[in-house]
C-alpha cells in the first residue's frame, strides 16, 4: 500500500485512492499572488513529457527521461539560438530521476525504471562532446522522485521514495572526481517530489510530499561544514512535484500539484532574511517539471498541466526583467 500511495500521481486512475489519504490536498490549488519578474515563451520541447530530469551544463539546458515517451529521451536546449538538439539516449528508460551539471557534463541519479516502476540506484554521466553515457558508482540507496544539487565540487542527492515506496529522508553526497559516495545526516522530514537547490553555501530541501498527496512546505538546509540540517522558514504554499532553481541570491520554487489541480506559484526564499516572497506566477501551471538557471534566466521545459499522467511541450523562461 505504501508504494501505491507514494507513486499515486503517476497515473490518474490512482488519484481517488490516494486523495483519501491526503486530507486537505483534494482541494484546488490557491490562486498565485502577483509579484515581480517576467516570463518569456521559448521554443517548445521536441518530446512532450513530464517527471523529467533537468540540468544546465555547458550553457545548455538538458531534459532527460520522463514518464511519457520512451523514457530514454535526451534533448538539449540552447538559450542563445532558441533551438533544441537530440543526444544519445539514456542507458536505461527512467522517470523521476535527478539531474545535475558539473564541468560541462550531465549527471543523472536514481529515478523509477519505466518498465517496472521500481526505484533504482543507477548513476550515469553524459559527455555531450562524445555524445555518450557512462555508468558511475551506483547510489548506496535506490530512490526515485528525489532531488540533487551541486555545491562546490560535490553533488548532494536527497529524499525521494525507496524500493518499497516508503518516503525517504536519506541524504548522500557524490564526489565526481573520485566516483565515490558518502552518507550524510538524514533530513528531519522524509519526503519525495521535493526541490533541492544549492545556495549561499548550503543545500536546501524544500517542499515535497509524504504519505501519498500530503503536500509540505518544509524547508531544511544542510551545512557541509557542520554536517547537520536545520529547519528554516517554510515555503508559503505547500507543494510537491515542484522545480527549484537559484537566481540573484534567491531560491525560486515553481509549480506543483494536488489531486485538484496544478500550481502556478513562483515563490522565492531569501536566505539572508529567512523569508519567502511571491514572484510573477507561471503562465502555464505545471508539475513534474525541472528548472535550470542559465545566465540571468531560469528555464522550465515540459511538465504536466493537469495532475497525474499529463504532458506538455510548453517551455517558459523566467527572469527579473529590466
Amino acid at each position: 500500500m505504501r508504494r501505491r500511495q507514494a507513486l499515486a500521481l503517476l497515473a490518474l486512475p490512482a488519484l481517488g485512492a490516494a486523495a483519501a489519504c491526503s486530507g486537505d490536498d483534494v482541494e484546488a490549488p490557491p490562486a498565485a499572488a502577483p509579484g515581480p519578474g517576467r516570463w518569456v515563451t521559448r521554443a517548445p520541447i521536441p518530446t512532450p513529457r513530464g517527471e523529467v530530469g533537468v540540468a544546465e551544463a555547458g550553457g545548455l539546458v538538458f531534459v532527460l527521461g520522463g514518464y511519457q515517451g520512451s523514457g530514454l529521451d535526451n534533448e538539449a536546449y540552447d538559450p542563445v539560438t532558441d533551438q533544441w538538439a537530440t543526444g544519445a539516449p539514456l542507458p536505461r528508460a527512467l522517470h523521476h530521476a535527478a539531474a545535475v551539471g558539473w564541468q560541462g557534463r550531465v549527471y543523472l541519479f536514481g529515478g523509477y525504471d519505466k518498465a517496472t516502476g521500481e526505484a533504482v540506484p543507477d548513476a550515469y554521466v553524459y559527455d555531450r562532446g562524445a555524445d555518450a553515457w557512462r555508468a558511475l558508482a551506483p547510489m548506496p540507496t535506490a530512490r526515485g522522485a528525489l532531488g540533487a544539487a551541486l555545491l562546490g565540487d560535490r553533488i548532494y542527492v536527497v529524499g525521494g521514495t525507496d524500493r518499497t515506496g516508503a518516503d525517504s529522508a536519506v541524504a548522500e553526497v557524490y564526489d565526481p572526481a573520485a566516483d565515490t559516495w558518502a552518507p550524510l545526516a538524514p533530513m528531519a522530514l522524509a519526503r519525495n517530489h521535493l526541490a533541492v537547490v544549492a545556495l549561499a553555501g548550503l543545500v536546501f530541501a524544500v517542499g515535497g510530499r509524504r504519505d501519498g498527496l500530503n503536500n509540505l512546505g518544509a524547508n531544511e538546509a544542510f551545512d557541509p561544514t557542520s554536517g547537520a540540517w536545520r529547519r528554516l522558514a517554510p515555503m508559503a504554499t505547500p507543494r510537491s512535484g515542484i522545480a527549484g532553481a537559484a537566481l540573484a541570491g534567491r531560491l525560486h520554487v515553481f509549480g506543483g500539484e494536488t489531486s485538484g489541480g496544478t500550481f502556478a506559484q513562483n515563490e522565492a526564499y531569501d536566505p539572508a532574511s529567512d523569508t519567502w516572497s511571491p514572484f510573477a506566477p507561471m503562465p502555464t501551471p505545471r508539475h513534474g517539471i525541472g528548472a535550470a538557471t542559465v545566465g540571468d534566466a531560469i528555464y522550465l521545459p515540459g511538465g504536466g498541466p493537469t495532475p497525474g499522467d499529463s504532458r506538455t511541450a510548453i517551455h517558459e523562461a523566467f527572469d527579473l526583467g529590466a
Side-chain angles (χ1 to χ4, degrees):
M1 180 59 181
R2 285 300 300 276
R3 180 172 182 79
R4 289 197 298 273
Q5 290 176 357
L7 304 185
L9 287 183
L10 299 185
L12 281 171
L15 280 173
C21 304
S22 65
D24 294 341
D25 270 350
V26 298
E27 298 179 1
R38 66 180 181 181
W39 289 87
V40 178
T41 300
R42 309 294 289 189
I45 184 172
T47 307
R49 49 204 159 104
E51 311 298 359
V52 290
V54 176
E56 180 277 333
L60 304 178
V61 178
F62 289 82
V63 185
L64 306 171
Y67 189 59
Q68 304 85 6
S70 68
L72 299 169
D73 297 295
N74 171 13
E75 294 167 335
Y77 174 76
D78 186 338
V80 175
T81 63
D82 193 32
Q83 293 180 339
W84 290 87
T86 300
L90 274 60
R92 181 175 190 165
L94 295 168
H95 54 84
H96 290 81
V100 172
W102 185 69
Q103 294 192 344
R105 295 180 173 87
V106 184
Y107 291 76
L108 190 67
F109 303 100
Y112 301 119
D113 181 273
K114 187 170 175 61
T116 66
E118 183 176 78
V120 301
D122 298 31
Y124 304 102
V125 62
Y126 175 68
D127 184 329
R128 184 170 181 267
D131 191 28
W133 290 88
R134 176 170 57 90
L136 303 173
M139 298 191 302
T141 310
R143 286 169 286 151
L146 68 172
L150 175 73
L151 180 60
D153 58 359
R154 299 290 191 274
I155 299 174
Y156 296 79
V157 184
V158 180
T161 65
D162 64 21
R163 280 178 166 160
T164 71
D167 301 314
S168 178
V170 166
E172 296 164 338
V173 62
Y174 176 72
D175 180 346
D179 189 28
T180 57
W181 290 89
L184 301 173
M187 293 186 293
L189 189 62
R191 45 204 158 110
N192 63 86
H193 287 83
L194 71 168
V196 177
V197 178
L199 180 64
L202 303 173
V203 177
F204 292 85
V206 182
R209 63 178 177 252
R210 59 185 300 156
D211 300 325
L213 298 183
N214 186 12
N215 279 344
L216 304 168
N219 178 16
E220 299 180 54
F222 178 79
D223 185 343
T225 302
S226 67
W229 292 88
R230 68 174 183 265
R231 291 199 179 195
L232 299 167
M235 185 165 55
T237 308
R239 292 177 276 150
S240 63
I242 50 183
L247 182 67
R250 296 184 182 91
L251 189 169
H252 287 260
V253 179
F254 303 93
E257 69 180 331
T258 74
S259 61
T262 51
F263 290 83
Q265 270 75 359
N266 168 14
E267 295 167 335
Y269 176 75
D270 182 347
S273 61
D274 191 28
T275 58
W276 289 86
S277 302
F279 279 72
M282 300 169 66
T284 310
R286 284 170 283 157
H287 74 97
I289 48 178
T293 303
V294 182
D296 60 359
I298 300 175
Y299 295 83
L300 292 98
T306 59
D309 182 9
S310 64
R311 72 196 79 180
T312 183
I314 287 171
H315 177 204
E316 296 164 338
F318 170 78
D319 65 43
L320 297 174

